[in-house]
Amino acid sequence: MLTFDEYQQRVIAAVRPLPPRSVAATDATGLLGLVTAEPLRSRVPLPGFTNSAMDGYAVLAADIRGAAADSPVSLPVTGDIPAGDTRSLRLEPGTCWRIMTGAPLPDGADAVVQVELTDGGTDTVAIREAVDAGCAIRHRGEDLEPGDEVLPAGTLLLPRHVPALLSAGVQEISVIPRPRVAIVSTGDELVEPGQQPGHGQVVDSNGPMLAALATECGFEVVAVRRVGDTGDEVREVLTELAAAADVIVTSGGVSAGAFEPLKLAFEGSGSFDFVKVAMQPGKPQGFGNLDGTAVFALPGNPVSSLVSFLVFVAPATRVLAGRDPQLATVGARVAEHWVSPPGRQQFARVIFDENGSVVRPIGGQGSHVLGGLAGSQALAIVPADTTEVAVGEALQVIPLEGLA
Amino acid sequence: MLTFDEYQQRVIAAVRPLPPRSVAATDATGLLGLVTAEPLRSRVPLPGFTNSAMDGYAVLAADIRGAAADSPVSLPVTGDIPAGDTRSLRLEPGTCWRIMTGAPLPDGADAVVQVELTDGGTDTVAIREAVDAGCAIRHRGEDLEPGDEVLPAGTLLLPRHVPALLSAGVQEISVIPRPRVAIVSTGDELVEPGQQPGHGQVVDSNGPMLAALATECGFEVVAVRRVGDTGDEVREVLTELAAAADVIVTSGGVSAGAFEPLKLAFEGSGSFDFVKVAMQPGKPQGFGNLDGTAVFALPGNPVSSLVSFLVFVAPATRVLAGRDPQLATVGARVAEHWVSPPGRQQFARVIFDENGSVVRPIGGQGSHVLGGLAGSQALAIVPADTTEVAVGEALQVIPLEGLA
């Protein structure tokens, strides 16, 4: 029997980030959740032209040196420069232009007087305060010069990176692609969701649940399949999927029964390990490699599948995506006692108390599998040497919302 | 000038959840992030048939009453019942069936003896321990009877709800639809991402950033558009988009300059409010209603746009989606002093220290707009009456990752 940490480290160590790929930088939404493979450097100066930081009047500072509230300086207004004005304009000494925030500064001007320091005139303006040269001006290249780094390598692209990404003037960006995940449920008893199960049959809900988890973790789901309980069928379908997926996740067929199709297909093949892990739930686990595709063979109980996905599949697949392996955990205090099996690291389904940092075990209608899974809000991590989880104890928990 | 809370409450109070819609229950991934509009009740009993909870032997408990390690009871094995066996089988008294976890119990059997308590025989099996009637059996309907509630109304659908959703035997489910959001950037200076801006022009990065934020918040982005600085163009495009969107978000054109197209289009129309809010950044805000579509007119600076989206657009749009308005916040301690303007609630861009619960203001290369936005990891909420944020102070922060 492996400890939880031993097995988690083993599956994480077995994978490497996917090779980077160059993609269009303009598809900002499509890039969300991807990791940059090299530093993004600006191709352009930013700002791209010297412009006004205020709504006001572009002037030569020397022209208004004596301006004051009791002795305003009047200047003729040559015209308006709105944002987006593409003309190349000049300021003649002794005149001014009315200018808007972000509009290009006319050549010859060296300051902007904000409108609040003037009478707002459109033919002639009275300026009531002197300003220094450089006032309210954003100079070309003052934020970034061409070649400056905009985002370091290894940046997980989020909405806040979009302005930098789109303003840098690059057409393509090198990123680690989104890992492609194929899901396979095993079991002769399974029917497709939406079908009426006959005697002895059940709806396959594990496959869609694992697909939903993979989607929420930011991976690309490329297939959701069901296979029967023969080793031949499992081998055939998994070999086919390995050509189109970076990760295959199966559920069922790894325990100790007489018909365990993952074991029938791969035990003794040299490319698979079937192990027992000192954890609850999720003790029987399989991990293999098919033509370079990582295969996670998870136990079939829905709770075991969900836990195994979050603590083994998600971390390893995040490594493929160039990310830190671990999902976020938060600290919480225990509000109600529960027990944990000796020698096994428990992932207990818990709900948050109102303040969000206190947890209690799920009970009541949560005692059956579907209700207990649907009603739980987090997995509390109980160390293997703990058998009684006491009120007030501090634990780390994995929230089941916001997995990206 | 409105306080931040006054304005936030005003926009939240102006919207109602969208009318529910009946959708296919089988598209589990498509349902993620939607809220159920009525309780989901099972149409079927669960389990759907009485089945074995273990790998072992289906027996009549009375037949093995005297079984013990030193006096095992031998029974002939009629055959195997794997999971997914759809036959209707019978147990004859004095015999047994080998049975797998999840397989249907044969009529006449009343217990399962787990394989570990036997010699595992396939023709005849020696059973070394007596069990009570009912042992290792899951009875039809013991989890749920038809009509039982599986998920309450108001459930935010997540991967953990998928098994309950798919197993309940329902074809359709009533949910609040995903709010449709249209994004509009205003400004004659804007060019499309990927185009080379000329003199006086800039790439529109606000539009794609707001689209990315809306996507990450779980909304459906139906349009990303740019309009010039005339009131007519703004009115025309927004009226068109109002027919296809539940929410329109514009950026730019709401401050005090001479050409503010949102104000030119709608000020004084009776359907729009343009207000000043005591916050930093984001002071000028507009909110209106066009044919029932909520319109948020945000300031055009990228940082102001992002903050305004998170504290006004996201909460109101979450209400449309049937969710609690507020994005998640976490508590954090301040590691480095900064200042906040008097009388304004500040949303300060901060980064987390290593342990994730300590924040410091973004500095260094973060001093310009793009770097400061890209590099920030959270917004720290500084109350309006605070002007000095002291080391060690406790603040709430809005993380900029995991907005769903």
Side-chain angles (χ1 to χ4, degrees), chain A residues 183-187 189-195 197 201-214 224-226 250-252 299-303 305-306 369-371 373-374, chain B residues 25-29 32 46 143 150 158-169:
Chain A
I183 311 284
V184 181
S185 304
T186 69
E189 73 277 24
L190 301 177
V191 302
E192 188 178 358
Q195 300 293 315
Q201 298 182 320
V202 295
V203 170
D204 172 26
S205 59
N206 260 1
M209 177 188 73
L210 292 168
L213 284 166
V224 184
R225 300 275 286 270
R226 283 174 304 288
T250 71
S251 64
N301 172 289
V303 178
S305 283
L306 177 132
V369 168
L370 297 181
L373 189 58
Chain B
T26 49
D27 176 19
T29 296
L32 292 179
L46 284 174
D143 279 2
V150 179
L158 297 169
R160 61 186 159 94
H161 300 111
V162 170
L165 182 65
L166 295 179
S167 302

Side-chain angles (χ1 to χ4, degrees), chain B residues 260-296:
Chain B
E260 300 293 338
L262 263 291
K263 289 187 164 178
L264 293 173
F266 296 114
E267 202 160 39
S269 71
S271 58
F272 260 76
D273 266 346
F274 291 97
V275 299
K276 287 191 169 59
V277 182
M279 60 190 285
Q280 185 205 45
K283 188 169 74 167
Q285 295 286 340
F287 180 70
N289 182 311
L290 280 184
D291 305 328
T293 292
V295 184
F296 293 84

Side-chain angles (χ1 to χ4, degrees), chain A residues 139-365:
Chain A
H139 290 278
R140 173 181 163 97
E142 79 172 39
D143 279 1
L144 291 172
E145 291 290 354
D148 283 354
E149 180 175 293
V150 179
L151 300 175
T155 299
L156 176 70
L157 293 171
L158 297 169
R160 61 186 160 92
H161 300 111
V162 170
L165 181 66
L166 294 179
S167 301
V170 300
Q171 297 292 323
E172 299 216 308
I173 176 173
S174 178
V175 296
I176 315 273
R178 214 175 284 285
R180 299 163 303 164
V181 177
I183 311 284
V184 181
S185 304
T186 69
D188 284 332
E189 73 277 24
L190 301 177
V191 302
E192 188 178 358
Q195 300 293 315
Q196 184 76 18
H199 177 70
Q201 298 182 320
V202 295
V203 170
D204 172 26
S205 59
N206 260 1
M209 177 188 73
L210 292 168
L213 284 166
T215 301
E216 187 144 301
C217 284
F219 312 141
E220 183 188 355
V221 176
V222 294
V224 184
R225 300 275 286 270
R226 283 174 304 288
V227 298
D229 278 332
T230 71
D232 282 349
E233 190 178 351
V234 166
R235 210 165 24 235
E236 183 185 329
V237 169
L238 265 59
T239 304
E240 175 203 327
L241 290 172
D246 304 304
V247 172
I248 298 174
V249 184
T250 71
S251 64
V254 292
S255 63
F259 309 100
E260 300 292 339
L262 263 292
K263 290 188 165 179
L264 292 174
F266 296 113
E267 202 162 38
S269 71
S271 57
F272 260 76
D273 266 345
F274 292 97
V275 298
K276 286 191 169 57
V277 183
M279 63 189 284
Q280 183 206 44
K283 188 169 73 167
Q285 296 284 341
F287 179 70
N289 182 311
L290 279 185
D291 304 326
T293 292
V295 184
F296 293 84
L298 311 184
N301 172 289
V303 178
S304 305
S305 283
L306 177 132
V307 169
S308 303
F309 185 94
L310 294 178
V311 300
F312 300 127
V313 182
T317 311
R318 284 166 64 105
V319 170
L320 288 173
R323 302 182 59 179
D324 290 335
Q326 300 295 353
L327 292 176
T329 60
V330 297
R333 297 226 161 247
V334 171
E336 188 184 322
H337 164 270
W338 77 82
V339 298
S340 181
R344 292 166 74 180
Q345 179 161 327
Q346 187 187 44
F347 294 90
R349 281 159 290 145
V350 295
I351 55 174
F352 289 111
D353 262 18
E354 276 180 29
N355 78 4
S357 63
V358 174
V359 294
R360 55 180 72 240
I362 188 156
Q365 78 152 25

Side-chain angles (χ1 to χ4, degrees), chain B residues 211-237:
Chain B
L213 284 166
T215 301
E216 188 145 298
C217 284
F219 313 141
E220 183 188 355
V221 176
V222 294
V224 184
R225 299 276 286 270
R226 282 174 305 287
V227 299
D229 278 333
T230 70
D232 283 350
E233 190 178 351
V234 167
R235 211 166 21 237
E236 183 184 330
V237 169

Side-chain angles (χ1 to χ4, degrees), chain B residues 245-322:
Chain B
D246 304 305
V247 172
I248 298 173
V249 184
T250 71
S251 65
V254 294
S255 64
F259 308 100
E260 300 293 338
L262 263 291
K263 289 187 164 178
L264 293 173
F266 296 114
E267 202 160 39
S269 71
S271 58
F272 260 76
D273 266 346
F274 291 97
V275 299
K276 287 191 169 59
V277 182
M279 60 190 285
Q280 185 205 45
K283 188 169 74 167
Q285 295 286 340
F287 180 70
N289 182 311
L290 280 184
D291 305 328
T293 292
V295 184
F296 293 84
L298 311 184
N301 172 290
V303 178
S304 305
S305 283
L306 177 131
V307 170
S308 303
F309 185 94
L310 293 178
V311 300
F312 301 129
V313 181
T317 311
R318 285 166 62 103
V319 170
L320 288 174

